[in-house]
Amino acid sequence: MGVLEDGRHSGISVQPWGKFDALTGTAYSLLFHLIDSGAVAGGLWDRFLTPSQKAAITAGLQMGEEQARSLVAFLAACHDVGKLTPHFQCCEPVARLRLGDELLADMGPVTPVSHARASMHIGVNLLHGLGFTREGNDSPAVRAAQCLGGHHGRYLQMDLHRAASARRVEATLGGPSWRDLRYRYVRLLWHLFDVPKPPRWFSAEAAVLITGLIMLADRVSSQRRFWLPNADTPSSGANEHYSRARRQASDEVERSHLTRFDLDRIPFAAAHRGVQTPNAMQASVLEAMPELVRQQGSGIAVVTDATGSGKTVTGLELARIFNEHCGTQGVMWLLPATAAADQAYDILDRYVRAHQPEHPPVTLVHSHSWLNPAYTDRALSAGSEDSVLDGPGDDLLGVDAAAGGDDEETEHGPGPAGPDAWLRGWDSALLAQYTVATVDQAQMAVLPVRHSPLRLLAMSGKTVIVDEAHALTPFSQLQLQRLLNWLGALGTPVVLLSATLPASTQSGLIRSYLSGAGRTPPDGTVSAPVYPGCTFTDAATGLTHHMNDTARTAHTAAQRRTVRLAVRDVTYRQLEHADRTVGERERLEAVADLLRPVTEEGGCAAVVCATVADAQDTYTHLSRSWPGPPADLLLVHARLPGYRRERLLSALRRRLGRSGPRPQRLVVVTTSLLDMSLDIDVDVMVSDLASMARLLQRLGRLARFAGLWKDEHRPRWWQPGHEPCMTVLNPVGDRGGTALPPGWNRIEPGFTLHATAELLHTLKSRTLTVPDDIQRLVELVHGRDSSFGAETDRLARMLATQQSQTLREEHLSAIQLVPPSRRVSSMADLHRQHLTTAHAATRLGTMSRRLLPCYRLPGNNLSLDPAGRLPLPDGEHLSTRAIRSILEHTLPVPAAWVARAPVDSLPPATWAKHPLLAGTVLLPTDPAHPLDGQRFGRHHLRMDDTLGLMHRIDQQG
């Protein structure tokens, strides 16, 4: 029977099943599921892929756009051809009864092979029969087959001469009847999707994007709401079903909010609330960049400017220009910390809504985004798909080992960048057109973890803004460089924003991007940054274009202000007991003394502490003599339950923001949470010793709105001409030299802290001019060729130690990274290591677990509150309200703290089935004895209602 006859009523067997619903006992034809997936892929090509992504795929296949579309839809349709095997068809007894006698008689020995691997092994031979070249790892047949095998998230290694040989496939995956039906299925799909010819080339970049599209198409077509109605009213033939599937796919792409849209042009002031006219830098960008990008195409822009000077607006305008001229649509805004991401989400959401699109899909993606309304209830729900049996390794939460899944498709729970099952919220997460995320979510795209191609697909169609680009460690910087390499290869425009970016770091990031794009700077070097300034390095020539000097000078003059940077040597000692008498030269007493103008006469101040423990001590000491309402003395740090931390940060942004109302008196005691993108203003700042880059970031919150307010919101003691001051507390030892307390050099390298302390003491004038002095101070401490670091033997030795540590971190990071796009041979190179998000680190030494403080009541019942009004939720099917309640009370802690969890700290067994609750550790407290806490081996943890989580290491335990 020919392919035309196969497409008609009863022309080809539709008995093999591809989906099975356990609730209704309904099986769905595999052939129809394959057609569904191909139709959805075609719909995604038309309405989800951006012109830049289509260009990357067509160039990678060396085909025209219509030809490439047909081929991609065909490959998406073939993704589950491995389900047409005895092993898969027998894994559900009820559905197995659909098979005809011919297939049942020709099963042979049933060999357990995951259907993803079977799709790859079957596909490479069938594709070769269609004219795909099958010679070497980078041949079209092999790469296309690896796209099929990678549709569950990992690329698999291909052995053409053994496991994937035609003889081995027939021996293990069914006899001639199975082989012939698979051949007829694939030929029919080739005909239905009208593929004109096989590709002669198949680049790694195209393979990654196609794999991501196949994953997405499979997820859309696998939804119960999509296929179950079709199973109840089946089509009479493949041709008829294809006609229906195309209409249904278009509707579903629209329903899932995956359709791309363009923002209308609106006035600058309307797009950026509170900004009436562009500043000099923004005006320069608006004047020069559109024509430059129109001529040169995609590239990487770098904006370096002082905090509070409008970098965010500049970045959004650059993104708009790139999107208009580079074929991208949307923004992926990456930040290093969750608190900064939360504020950026508010800004981006307002920006998109100001353009009044019909459906403004702006989403927030980070490991605590469920605290924000952007994380929808649907994303919190375990979903209604649990009843759908897809066969081994095809459920959305990962593989059930009992169902026969093999290791290559198995995941083991949540990790530092969020749950593996983040796809549960795919329609409101990374794939949304406008997304704010922490940078670790993006870094996962270049680590050998599951679904990494889908992350690259999500990013590549947008302009990617990397905010606070300086804030990453060498371990994470190398991952960012590799990510930029892939984005350059995919033609994705990038904008880097930073207030304190060393020239060497900027150069490395630009070089990585250009390398991915296949370019090098014409003279071999990247131009040094001019601060403040904006540069654009285009991917077409590798040339760097600088902003207009006149505009830069005008912008510098408009932003210029002076601040004072003072240093006070203090003795560091922990409080230990709340009633301990604090000595005159101690750090704690110095903080109280420096805050005296605020405590006595009013004003707003921030105390930035090196560690959470220091913040808790400082708050306790200040509260003993605090003269005002307790609500005017705030403690904000990472070890508070999520709902409290989010509430405090929101209040902080509101009370100390540019629009107020500003409180008469407010002191916030915090940690490095203050460093990242908090648009607040304080009158006084006290900071523990930190690196120069961090201090300059904090300095940006000191009198931040001085030019906007003209002092009308300042306290009485703020006299005309007052010079705002930040005092740095330098811990010293008995000999008067800087002596870092235990643990401080784990936050930042010891060299940068010592070098900063020495630099502060040697500055001739501690009055700084912002932004003029910023880059010079950054380079003195953080520059790769810093001469200051070698001025003394002691600092030189410390610098050598730091450089050695940096090389070690880069080595550890490189071990996990996927190769650059131009070094990919087999697509399996992207998943050589079997890492899950639970084991792949985006930051060195930050593997965390989620801790849930709770209370043990009489009868051994657990509650989220000491009064017992919020019983600990448990059950097979938790409501979204219950899940959110649990998550809001959790906080992240280092995994080592809870590694030896006692039995009574284990969560209910049913939580293991939910991707956001799996791995949670309980911290039960007896309300009658709140000071007892809980021991986890040597680690003793206790939740204090005021101070947050208290941690102590027992020396003997």
Side-chain angles (χ1 to χ4, degrees):
M1 187 176 290
V3 66
L4 294 178
E5 290 78 12
D6 271 346
R8 297 172 184 163
H9 176 57
S10 301
I12 194 171
S13 173
V14 294
Q15 293 170 327
W17 65 280
K19 300 287 178 186
F20 182 78
D21 181 51
L23 291 179
T24 62
T26 304
Y28 187 53
S29 166
L30 172 60
L31 178 60
F32 289 170
H33 171 60
L34 299 182
I35 293 173
D36 289 345
S37 298
V40 170
L44 291 170
W45 179 284
D46 297 334
R47 311 190 70 181
F48 172 74
L49 285 189
T50 64
S52 67
Q53 291 174 312
K54 295 175 186 178
I57 293 175
T58 55
L61 297 175
Q62 296 182 358
M63 305 176 83
E65 186 171 314
E66 284 302 314
Q67 294 174 322
R69 180 193 186 281
S70 297
L71 180 65
V72 169
F74 164 74
L75 292 176
C78 291
H79 78 283
D80 267 351
V81 70
K83 289 184 175 179
L84 192 46
T85 57
H87 173 59
F88 179 88
Q89 292 296 318
C90 289
C91 71
E92 173 47 54
V94 176
R96 178 180 179 273
L97 297 176
R98 293 168 50 95
L99 297 179
D101 293 339
E102 185 179 0
L103 290 178
L104 289 172
D106 198 27
M107 279 189 176
V110 178
T111 305
V113 179
S114 72
H115 77 267
R117 184 174 291 277
S119 291
M120 181 178 69
H121 289 169
I122 292 167
V124 71
N125 296 297
L126 291 176
L127 293 171
H128 180 56
L130 292 170
F132 286 66
T133 306
R134 188 182 57 184
E135 299 294 337
N137 285 332
D138 59 354
S139 63
V142 173
R143 284 208 164 145
Q146 287 184 309
C147 290
L148 306 186
H151 78 268
H152 274 296
R154 294 188 189 279
Y155 289 114
L156 310 175
Q157 183 60 46
M158 176 84 75
D159 187 346
L160 285 173
H161 304 294
R162 299 182 64 184
S165 66
R167 188 170 125 189
R168 181 71 175 271
V169 167
E170 187 166 334
T172 58
L173 301 179
S177 298
W178 293 86
R179 179 197 62 201
D180 292 344
L181 189 56
R182 291 193 294 257
Y183 170 78
R184 290 170 64 189
Y185 269 24
V186 171
R187 292 290 297 188
L188 177 58
L189 295 172
W190 182 268
H191 166 72
L192 287 176
F193 291 99
D194 194 24
V195 185
K197 62 180 181 179
R200 298 300 173 189
W201 176 247
F202 209 118
S203 72
E205 296 88 350
V208 165
L209 293 182
I210 291 172
T211 305
L213 196 69
I214 291 173
M215 292 178 188
L216 183 55
D218 184 31
R219 293 306 181 245
V220 172
S221 62
S222 294
Q223 296 176 101
R224 195 169 182 264
R225 75 184 188 198
F226 188 97
W227 64 264
L228 194 57
N230 296 339
D232 294 332
T233 56
S235 304
S236 59
N239 290 333
E240 180 189 352
H241 186 81
Y242 179 47
S243 297
R244 176 196 292 180
R246 283 185 297 178
R247 295 191 299 271
Q248 187 179 3
S250 179
D251 293 341
E252 190 59 38
V253 171
E254 175 80 25
R255 181 181 180 184
S256 301
H257 301 299
L258 292 171
T259 303
R260 301 288 185 179
F261 61 91
D262 294 319
L263 295 181
D264 295 332
R265 292 295 299 271
I266 61 174
F268 182 89
H272 307 285
R273 192 178 76 181
V275 184
Q276 295 302 314
T277 58
N279 61 31
M281 179 183 291
Q282 293 157 1
S284 174
V285 165
L286 294 173
E287 179 183 355
M289 282 294 289
E291 181 62 21
L292 189 59
V293 175
R294 188 187 67 79
Q295 292 179 358
Q296 303 298 335
S298 183
I300 181 169
V302 182
V303 179
T304 52
D305 203 357
T307 56
S309 58
K311 290 190 301 297
T312 294
V313 172
T314 307
L316 290 175
E317 286 299 316
L318 282 168
R320 179 186 58 79
I321 293 168
F322 280 134
N323 288 339
E324 288 179 355
H325 298 285
C326 298
T328 50
Q329 294 173 294
V331 170
M332 174 76 78
W333 190 352
L334 304 175
L335 297 106
T338 59
D342 288 339
Q343 178 157 316
Y345 168 78
D346 294 337
I347 295 171
L348 186 60
D349 186 55
R350 286 198 304 268
Y351 173 79
V352 175
R353 289 180 184 276
H355 293 78
Q356 298 182 339
E358 185 177 354
H359 300 290
V362 183
T363 59
L364 177 66
V365 187
H366 59 67
S367 58
H368 300 106
S369 52
W370 30 263
L371 289 169
N372 193 292
Y375 205 99
T376 65
D377 283 345
R378 181 173 182 270
L380 289 175
S381 172
S384 60
E385 307 297 322
D386 295 337
S387 66
V388 177
L389 178 62
D390 235 357
D394 205 23
D395 62 286
L396 297 187
L397 290 177
V399 178
D400 181 357
D406 57 13
D407 287 341
E408 71 215 5
E409 297 183 42
T410 304
E411 292 291 321
H412 301 285
D420 281 320
W422 65 277
L423 276 173
R424 278 256 177 235
W426 57 261
D427 60 347
S428 58
L430 291 174
L431 291 162
Q433 187 166 336
Y434 289 88
T435 302
V436 176
T438 47
V439 71
D440 52 5
Q441 294 288 343
Q443 288 168 229
M444 283 292 178
V446 289
L447 293 175
V449 299
R450 207 173 178 199
H451 305 305
S452 55
L454 194 51
R455 292 177 188 260
L456 280 173
L457 176 74
M459 281 186 285
S460 60
K462 312 167 189 174
T463 295
V464 176
I465 300 176
V466 185
D467 206 345
E468 311 284 2
H470 61 276
L472 302 178
T473 65
F475 184 91
S476 299
Q477 281 283 357
L478 192 62
Q479 294 181 347
L480 178 59
Q481 289 181 17
R482 186 59 48 84
L483 176 63
L484 293 179
N485 178 275
W486 273 90
L487 294 178
L490 294 170
T492 304
V494 173
V495 180
L496 303 179
L497 305 178
S498 179
T500 54
L501 189 66
S504 55
T505 302
Q506 176 177 321
S507 175
L509 296 175
I510 293 175
R511 283 181 178 279
S512 295
Y513 182 89
L514 291 179
S515 175
R519 294 287 181 270
T520 56
D523 59 356
T525 61
V526 176
S527 301
V530 180
Y531 190 96
C534 176
T535 64
F536 169 60
T537 306
D538 68 80
T541 66
L543 286 172
T544 297
H545 313 268
H546 293 266
M547 72 178 290
N548 180 278
D549 281 341
T550 302
R552 192 184 70 80
T553 301
H555 177 72
T556 303
Q559 301 295 325
R560 186 172 287 128
R561 63 192 179 97
T562 59
V563 292
R564 203 155 52 86
L565 194 58
V567 184
R568 180 180 290 198
D569 292 341
V570 296
T571 301
Y572 177 88
R573 183 181 171 188
Q574 291 182 319
L575 187 58
E576 297 170 352
H577 304 289
D579 55 354
R580 180 178 72 81
T581 300
V582 175
E584 190 175 306
R585 288 178 51 85
E586 281 193 46
R587 169 190 170 278
L588 293 172
E589 186 56 32
V591 172
D593 180 56
L594 292 166
L595 293 180
R596 193 155 286 119
V598 174
T599 56
E600 293 179 355
E601 299 183 56
C604 300
V607 182
V608 190
C609 304
T611 68
V612 171
D614 294 329
Q616 291 168 332
D617 277 358
T618 303
Y619 176 86
T620 301
H621 179 63
L622 292 176
S623 62
R624 293 193 297 191
S625 57
W626 182 249
D632 290 344
L633 178 63
L634 300 180
L635 174 64
V636 187
H637 56 72
R639 289 191 215 153
L640 295 171
Y643 75 97
R644 282 181 56 194
R645 185 175 65 252
E646 180 68 15
R647 188 182 301 161
L648 287 168
L649 286 173
S650 297
L652 193 62
R653 289 193 290 263
R654 182 180 66 256
R655 299 177 72 185
L656 297 181
R658 64 179 66 220
S659 58
R662 195 168 176 84
Q664 292 296 315
R665 180 195 290 117
L666 180 67
V667 173
V668 55
V669 180
T670 185
T671 58
S672 57
L673 284 175
L674 190 75
D675 298 352
M676 303 297 175
S677 298
L678 282 179
D679 193 22
I680 62 173
D681 173 298
V682 294
D683 307 314
V684 175
M685 183 172 291
V686 181
S687 172
D688 279 331
L689 178 65
S691 65
M692 180 56 70
R694 282 183 183 262
L695 292 178
L696 294 174
Q697 286 286 331
R698 293 168 189 176
L699 205 61
R701 278 81 192 167
L702 179 63
R704 186 183 184 94
F705 308 137
L708 178 67
W709 288 348
K710 305 302 181 186
D711 299 349
E712 66 264 26
H713 295 293
R714 300 299 174 187
R716 292 191 301 272
W717 50 265
W718 187 289
Q719 302 297 326
H722 174 79
E723 199 168 61
C725 178
M726 178 171 79
T727 303
V728 180
L729 304 179
N730 178 44
V732 297
D734 295 338
R735 298 183 180 181
T738 300
L740 299 181
W744 280 28
N745 58 1
R746 291 198 296 269
I747 302 169
E748 295 188 274
F751 162 75
T752 59
L753 296 177
H754 281 273
T756 299
E758 198 146 330
L759 177 60
L760 292 175
H761 281 103
T762 57
L763 287 175
K764 292 182 180 178
S765 170
R766 295 199 188 102
T767 296
L768 304 181
T769 303
V770 178
D772 306 65
D773 292 335
I774 300 297
Q775 192 67 31
R776 175 179 64 88
L777 294 176
V778 169
E779 298 295 343
L780 281 173
V781 174
H782 300 274
R784 184 166 295 175
D785 301 319
S786 167
S787 58
F788 180 78
E791 285 186 0
T792 69
D793 290 340
R794 180 174 62 90
L795 283 178
R797 287 194 301 272
M798 295 179 70
L799 179 59
T801 301
Q802 178 184 331
Q803 290 171 338
S804 175
Q805 176 68 18
T806 297
L807 290 174
R808 176 177 173 272
E809 287 194 25
E810 290 176 343
H811 173 71
L812 291 173
S813 183
I815 289 174
Q816 291 189 353
L817 284 174
V818 304
S821 61
R822 297 178 183 275
R823 295 184 188 174
V824 174
S825 176
S826 167
M827 296 308 295
D829 292 344
L830 301 185
H831 289 106
R832 289 289 181 190
Q833 300 178 72
H834 186 80
L835 289 180
T836 69
T837 53
H839 299 97
T842 53
R843 305 178 193 182
L844 192 61
T846 58
M847 303 301 263
S848 64
R849 294 286 295 276
R850 188 168 288 129
L851 185 72
L852 175 63
C854 55
Y855 298 88
R856 191 173 301 282
L857 305 177
N860 212 31
N861 296 317
L862 294 176
S863 173
L864 295 175
D865 68 312
R869 291 188 296 268
L870 299 172
L872 194 69
D874 189 11
E876 290 290 337
H877 301 287
L878 295 177
S879 67
T880 55
R881 182 177 180 181
I883 295 169
R884 188 179 295 278
S885 179
I886 295 169
L887 294 173
E888 287 175 344
H889 285 78
T890 62
L891 65 153
V893 296
W897 289 10
V898 293
R900 296 172 62 183
V903 175
D904 61 354
S905 291
L906 299 178
T910 55
W911 290 14
K913 299 179 181 180
H914 194 286
L916 290 174
L917 302 182
T920 303
V921 178
L922 305 183
L923 178 61
T925 298
D926 184 349
H929 303 88
L931 300 181
D932 289 352
Q934 179 77 60
R935 286 175 60 94
F936 296 81
R938 294 177 56 210
H939 297 272
H940 184 272
L941 302 179
R942 177 176 67 84
M943 178 55 68
D944 186 278
D945 291 341
T946 302
L947 301 178
L949 184 68
M950 310 294 290
H951 170 247
R952 184 183 76 245
I953 297 180
D954 296 333
Q955 298 305 316
Q956 296 180 352

